Amino acid sequence: MDRIFIFDIDGTLTPSRLRMTEEFAKFFDKWSEKNKYYLVTGSDLDKTKEQLPTAYMDRAEAIFTCCGNQMWRDDESIYDNKFKVPRKLNKLLGTIMSNSQYPYRYGNHIEDRGSMVNFSIVGRDCTQEQREEYFEWDKQSLEREIIANAIKEKFPELDAVIGGQISIDIYPKGNDKSQVLNVIEQERLVSPNEYIFIGDGIENGGNDYPLAKLLKHKDRPYGYAYETEGPEHTRRILESTHND
């Protein structure tokens, strides 16, 4: 059975914004030697390198960063979808941040990654503990969902989706993680029998959802999408399914 695995990184192969754990690395070291896989993340390449051991990046068929808007292989850029951030969007994000009811700010709130924008009320300079505090608050207030909907209403040509624990990813409509499937299919001489995608942002309408939705509605080759709660859950998914 020829299978291609596609993994989100943050919250899937690693804890959110942290290095891969030693325990998971021991499992993934053996698994990654026997399987073909791609990586697709909302982060940029530098942040990805902070989280994953070099060996697992090298073994990947390719790495898609910035929600699939950049593609890398052996540290070489294969393509880069440029996105110039509208001034009106920056202004709107500033207004949203000022009006947020969340009381804490830690810096690096609007991060232009060249092919997308990452927006965070609490700020990407927060500590892990501060990240967890905002994440729990957001689950109750649904602030990020409300903000994402407001951005899409104001800018119908853009998409805004929940990313990770604290942020929102913003990019031109259609330039989401689903675009990687066409790239993968064009690269392969023979289509695999199955695609298996694992991500943590599927059921909440996060940045993994577009790719999961495409796989579920694709007839050939057959696709599976699994929602994960973290690396240990990812391990259980890989151990209990698609083992033949």
Side-chain angles (χ1 to χ4, degrees), residues 133-149:
E133 289 173 353
Y134 179 81
F135 181 57
E136 292 302 320
W137 185 84
D138 181 62
K139 286 196 290 187
Q140 300 300 319
S141 67
L142 300 179
E143 178 178 64
R144 288 188 295 167
E145 181 180 333
I146 294 169
I147 292 172
N149 288 334

Side-chain angles (χ1 to χ4, degrees), residues 72-89:
W72 305 85
R73 183 177 285 118
D74 299 325
D75 255 1
E76 179 183 350
S77 175
I78 307 302
Y79 71 75
D80 186 352
N81 295 332
K82 297 296 185 181
F83 169 51
K84 185 175 181 180
V85 184
R87 280 188 293 178
K88 289 184 178 180
L89 175 60

Side-chain angles (χ1 to χ4, degrees), residues 153-206:
E153 182 177 351
K154 187 72 173 179
F155 296 90
E157 74 278 13
L158 300 180
D159 211 348
V161 295
I162 293 171
Q165 289 183 306
I166 63 170
S167 59
I168 296 169
D169 293 329
I170 307 166
Y171 38 70
K173 194 174 291 292
N175 284 15
D176 51 51
K177 288 187 178 182
S178 68
Q179 65 186 309
V180 310
L181 194 59
N182 283 335
V183 178
I184 293 171
E185 290 187 335
Q186 290 171 11
E187 280 209 321
R188 309 198 71 82
L189 295 177
V190 179
S191 294
N193 300 103
E194 291 178 348
Y195 286 103
I196 298 97
F197 173 53
I198 304 177
D200 70 323
I202 295 175
E203 299 302 329
N204 68 349

